[in-house]
Amino acid sequence: MAITPHLSPKPRVLVVGGGYAGYNVAKRLQKKIRDRGGIVTVVEPNSYLTYQPFLPEVVGGSIEPRHAVVDLRSHLRQSEIVQGKIVEIKHAEKVAVVEGPAGMTFDLPYQDVIVTAGADSRTFPIDGLGEAAIGLKRIEEAVSIRNQILERIESAALMTDAEQRRKALTFVVVGGGFAGAELIGEIEDLVRTAISKNPRLAQSDARIVLIEAMGRIMPEVSEEQAVSVVEEFRSRGIEVLLNTSLSSAVDNHLKLVNMTDQSDAGSFDADTLVWTAGVAANKLARSTDFPVEQRGRIEVTPTLQVSDGEGGVLEGAWAAGDVAAVPDLTGDGPGGFCVPNAQHAGRQADRLAANLMAVRFGEGAVEEYYHKSLGAVAGMGVGKGIGNPLGIELSGVAAWLAHRAYHNYALPTWERSSRVLGGWINELIWGKDTTQLKELETPHNAFREAAGLEKLPNRLDQKAQAAAQA
């Protein structure tokens, strides 16, 4: 039986998801809706927005984890924040079912609903992938990847078994899109810096691998730029395996297959495996009574209103960002839809907020979403990057500076932008910080040991025990 917590009785604009699109649409609506007797309610499992373009730099240590997130309560003061997860939307009844942190569920009525639930990692049925790999969609994943890399380097420095040492010092990223390319560049910077500080290790001990199933990486840039990135990676000692796919990751033993002829492409062990091979619309889309297209995204019109499936729109239903199949009226988007990135999400939020005010209160005119891409920039370690902002091809330091300038501007709130900028300045002055934070998975172990109790094993310990038993 559902319970009803103490929430505002005012007419509600319900924003589902507090990510980049959700935050921006709530920011633009909260005061306007409040002044008209209503309230904006944001339901988000976390109490913060994660700025995902900065996650690779969190792994590399250029940005402090807490600076890559934006606290919703601090910056959406005129909105109602509910920390929970929407598990179902029943638009016919204008009700959403919410699951709170303690597992309780309750119904949340609304007048308008805006679905901005974002995307999840897109995975494939590969044996052992779920147990061996980690994604890069959340701040917690970025922190975990960083600390595992540093822990493996420290542990490897004391290992006498050559095979286990090689496994510990092998770092693999699957997926050669922007996220994967940025991540592998940051990992290489981090690994080289950490090893340089450890006299028991040599740079040749580390193996850093990028696996991509297609014949090129980074489809957002030109073919020539993509080739130059691969060449630059290889000059840094990064192995780039194109036309190669992961077929198994059981017990962290990676088996590869050649995508050209489906032949065996070799195998090796790696303790660190990060999966960045694409995104999929949030599964919530299929727990609504909205029409959903074949890729699992909510069908919307160019005005960002949810389609009724018959050429019209559903009253009071809106969607934007990665969870929505937003038509790209420029004709540039793959399949005719906008690509899932922050550039589109933020601008869709602006247009959606204006259109909602026009429909609900007659303020202004309803307009279709149209945005010509400004290009893309990627940072791949300090002083390294690639991009084509405004159609101008950049590489190296120029692209790296453009990447940092754009994303620091796009990061919500000047408060967070200033903190990130301060961190960058400190890194340039003092160098890369390779401090490892230990036992984040098992913080009680120090006290358990003091109390005479057995330590709790962490994820790596459990894998080692399972391998030994096998």
Side-chain angles (χ1 to χ4, degrees):
M1 180 178 178
I3 66 169
T4 304
H6 181 67
L7 296 171
S8 175
K10 296 178 180 179
R12 175 175 286 107
V13 175
L14 174 61
V15 179
V16 181
Y20 199 63
Y23 172 88
N24 280 289
V25 77
K27 188 75 172 178
R28 282 150 183 74
L29 285 176
Q30 59 179 359
K31 186 176 185 300
K32 296 176 180 179
I33 297 299
R34 184 203 63 181
D35 292 347
R36 288 156 184 79
I39 191 167
V40 172
T41 300
V42 180
V43 179
E44 163 62 38
N46 304 305
S47 61
Y48 51 81
L49 168 160
T50 298
Y51 191 67
Q52 294 182 358
F54 277 160
L55 292 182
E57 289 204 51
V58 171
V59 174
S62 298
I63 295 176
E64 287 292 322
R66 66 187 184 280
H67 296 165
V69 301
V70 179
D71 181 62
L72 298 179
R73 295 191 187 277
S74 297
H75 299 285
L76 294 177
R77 293 181 180 274
Q78 295 160 318
S79 295
E80 181 180 53
I81 308 299
V82 176
Q83 189 171 349
K85 178 182 178 182
I86 301 285
V87 295
E88 185 180 5
I89 296 176
K90 298 180 281 189
H91 190 65
E93 304 173 29
K94 293 281 186 85
V95 167
V97 180
V98 182
E99 180 181 316
M104 62 181 182
T105 60
F106 56 90
D107 291 343
L108 191 60
Y110 61 80
Q111 186 178 63
D112 293 273
V113 63
I114 303 170
V115 184
T116 58
D120 298 321
S121 295
R122 181 184 65 177
T123 61
F124 299 98
I126 298 172
D127 290 342
L129 180 65
E131 294 79 13
I134 186 171
L136 189 66
K137 295 291 291 179
R138 303 182 60 187
I139 194 69
E140 295 85 357
E141 291 174 320
V143 173
S144 179
I145 294 166
R146 171 179 170 79
N147 284 309
Q148 175 165 321
I149 289 171
L150 295 173
E151 187 279 332
R152 289 289 81 192
I153 290 173
E154 288 297 326
S155 294
L158 299 175
M159 290 178 180
T160 56
D161 184 286
E163 184 178 337
Q164 290 301 313
R165 186 184 175 103
R166 279 194 299 271
K167 182 179 180 183
L169 293 175
T170 300
F171 309 97
V172 181
V173 174
V174 178
F178 252 50
E182 289 185 310
L183 178 61
I184 201 72
E186 292 288 349
I187 287 177
E188 190 272 339
D189 256 9
L190 178 63
V191 169
R192 301 301 181 203
T193 304
I195 287 179
S196 70
K197 297 177 181 180
N198 196 318
R200 291 188 297 274
L201 294 174
Q203 296 293 349
S204 58
D205 293 331
R207 183 181 185 186
I208 304 168
V209 185
L210 176 64
I211 299 172
E212 169 54 47
M214 306 298 290
R216 59 163 293 182
I217 65 171
M218 305 181 76
E220 300 89 343
V221 301
S222 69
E223 178 77 27
E224 183 179 353
Q225 285 184 299
V227 170
S228 72
V229 171
V230 171
E231 292 174 350
E232 197 263 343
F233 279 165
R234 287 172 174 163
S235 73
R236 293 164 63 181
I238 300 171
E239 296 179 41
V240 182
L241 307 180
L242 301 176
N243 292 309
T244 304
S245 180
L246 181 68
S247 62
S248 175
V250 175
D251 296 330
N252 286 81
H253 181 69
L254 310 188
K255 295 181 180 179
L256 308 180
V257 60
N258 187 308
M259 296 299 291
T260 304
D261 56 12
Q262 298 301 306
S263 62
D264 181 7
S267 64
F268 57 89
D269 292 331
D271 277 338
T272 304
L273 173 63
V274 188
W275 181 270
T276 65
V279 297
N282 193 298
K283 295 180 179 62
L284 169 66
R286 298 191 181 277
S287 298
T288 70
D289 47 6
F290 300 145
V292 176
E293 46 91 76
Q294 60 182 3
R295 293 185 60 184
R297 299 173 297 183
I298 296 173
E299 294 182 8
V300 300
T301 67
T303 59
L304 303 170
Q305 294 168 279
V306 176
S307 170
D308 65 1
E310 300 177 356
V313 298
L314 294 174
E315 188 273 331
W318 308 78
D322 298 358
V323 75
V326 180
D328 188 343
L329 300 184
T330 70
D332 295 335
F337 297 103
C338 295
V339 296
N341 62 23
Q343 185 179 147
H344 277 300
R347 289 169 173 79
Q348 288 169 13
D350 293 344
R351 174 44 44 203
L352 192 158
N355 283 352
L356 187 147
M357 293 302 296
V359 170
R360 181 60 64 191
F361 302 104
E363 299 182 6
V366 176
E367 298 181 15
E368 295 180 336
Y369 174 72
Y370 180 96
H371 172 64
K372 189 77 172 177
S373 175
L374 300 176
V377 284
M380 296 171 289
V382 177
K384 311 172 188 76
I386 199 76
N388 52 15
L390 302 176
I392 303 171
E393 293 193 353
L394 299 176
S395 61
V397 175
W400 174 70
L401 290 173
H403 160 78
R404 287 196 160 185
Y406 171 76
H407 284 296
N408 199 41
Y409 170 77
L411 177 65
T413 81
W414 290 111
E415 174 260 338
R416 273 301 185 258
S417 294
S418 66
R419 292 181 187 274
V420 167
L421 181 59
W424 285 339
I425 292 171
N426 280 327
E427 182 183 49
L428 289 175
I429 295 173
W430 305 110
K432 185 174 289 293
D433 187 345
T434 55
T435 305
Q436 174 201 354
L437 299 180
K438 295 182 61 179
E439 298 200 19
L440 292 181
E441 295 181 29
T442 54
H444 295 90
N445 272 346
F447 192 80
R448 289 177 62 88
E449 188 175 27
L453 299 176
E454 184 178 352
K455 284 188 175 183
L456 299 172
N458 60 31
R459 182 163 51 93
L460 287 175
D461 292 336
Q462 291 171 347
K463 287 184 177 181
Q465 291 172 5
Q469 292 173 357

